Amino acid sequence: VPFDLRSTLAERHGENYALHQQLLNPQLANVLQTLGFDHFYTRGEGCYLWDDQGDRYFDTLAGFGVFALGRNHPAVKAALHDALDLDLPNLVQMDCALLAGLLAEQLVARAHDGIERAVFTNSGAEAVETAIKFARQATGRSRILFADHAFHGLTTGALALNGSKGFQQGFGPLLPGVTAVPFGDLEAVQREVARGDVAAFVVEPIQGKGVHLATAGYWQGVQEALHAKGSLLVADEVQTGLGRTGRFFAYEHYGIRPDIVTVSKALSGGYIPVGAMLASDAIVRSVHRSMSKALKHSSTFSRNQLAMVAGLATLATLDDEDLVAHTAKVGEQLRTALQGLADRYELFTDVRGEGLMIGIEFGLPEDRALRRRFRLLELMRKGLFTQAIVLPLFHRHKIITQVAADDVNIIKLIPSLVMGSDEIDLLVGALDDVLADAHAGNGLFVDAGKQLAGGAWKTRSR
Ligand SMILES: Cc1ncc(COP(=O)(O)O)c(C=O)c1O
């Protein structure tokens, strides 16, 4: 029987969680069911999702930052339809396909002038793996620095550069010759680099886990220290790249010129996985140094034509809709509106970020009764207070948010870049409502924490 997508979706609707329980990662299904997040989404458009009850959700997670253009953007969709209809000769391999050249041309043109070539990958982690390999080859050294709290993906090389031990446990031994430095600590970088054996410092310009930022002075000092000793600066822009922070690349905020830049996520247009490592001619040639080394680094699907089309259509759309400038403006408005709440609610302690990569942090208030309540939740489990905010945001206000990392009281907002003032009002109004409850000592709020701590949360909104 030929596969029929529409009838398959209709006939098997609602089996999602049972299938995942039985055949995929059962714990993911358990977590989502425990939180009552086990809705059946049927459609996505822009910054919204719809479930099978017809309810609309504002999604501030955007597929971990994939849907920069919003979901199912018509321009990317049309380009992909064209690619399918044209029966393009994909993955000939013994070929230099035009579309990969065009996407490389577009990416290189958007970077600083020391970036001259692209190596395509299938994911963010693969772009980081590629950066590790090319940095080692180009410098003839092996040691890699990374930052505390870093996240660069979960393949074994990228995992070795992960700042949270929880992700690494049981998978070792991981890549040797890697050293963690505190994020934002220039002296630590200078000290390590002084040994003269560092190939590269792999680092996110704004850290995704917790939304941590460093000063322009730090970044310039880091670049100077690395270059003085022949070490490379690798900016992992997998999450921050393509306009997310109000600049095309986040490194532009700090006036630096990384030697290698990794991108992925948004480049997919939300459709086809793709990533890239961008670097100088010299770095790329250090690996492909002669014809006999033409295939020394490669990956079967890396220049997949649908991925190249999605990338080209995405970049054109970012330009056409002036989305980078829009992101800077809307991000600023959103942070200002959130700061207004932080000024009113003691439990809301910080708003930070650039563009539409925003961290909002909750913490110990002055008021004694509030302090007691906050501490009670934190005693049950660290970060529980913020989970107890995330839950009513979803169940009551139909807004999808996420805690920014394990055991922290930070929500990270990385919505689609197409969001505007309606979504600001929606989010700020909802947070206002939930924080008012938290401050009023409303039982519902504490109940949420208790139920969560006991793993018994199950209040489906239907
Ligand atoms: C900064 C950064 N690097 C790398 C990755 C890994 O990307 P992927 O999940 O596509 O492997 C991520 C994913 O969240 C990321 O945020």
Side-chain angles (χ1 to χ4, degrees), residues 64 123-126 128 151-154 204 236 238-239 264-265:
F64 296 142
S123 69
E126 193 188 331
V128 171
F151 188 90
H152 299 290
L154 296 178
E204 300 149 89
D236 181 355
V238 164
Q239 183 153 125
S264 185
K265 293 195 190 277

Side-chain angles (χ1 to χ4, degrees), residues 268-289:
S268 67
Y271 280 102
I272 316 285
V274 63
M277 183 206 72
L278 310 174
S280 66
D281 175 62
I283 289 172
V284 173
R285 276 185 197 274
S286 74
V287 172
H288 301 295
R289 66 178 72 214

Side-chain angles (χ1 to χ4, degrees), residues 232-306:
L232 304 178
L233 175 57
V234 179
D236 181 355
E237 297 257 8
V238 164
Q239 183 153 125
T240 52
L242 281 89
R244 162 68 51 202
T245 71
R247 298 285 183 92
F248 187 82
F249 291 114
Y251 71 71
E252 295 168 30
H253 289 287
Y254 308 117
I256 50 170
R257 295 161 50 90
D259 304 285
I260 295 179
V261 180
T262 54
V263 291
S264 185
K265 293 195 190 277
L267 190 61
S268 67
Y271 280 102
I272 316 285
V274 63
M277 183 206 72
L278 310 174
S280 66
D281 175 62
I283 289 172
V284 173
R285 276 185 197 274
S286 74
V287 172
H288 301 295
R289 66 178 72 214
S290 63
M291 283 200 273
S292 67
K293 306 274 191 265
L295 294 178
K296 187 167 178 180
H297 180 88
S298 73
S299 171
T300 303
F301 288 106
S302 67
R303 282 161 289 148
N304 175 19
Q305 237 148 14
L306 287 181

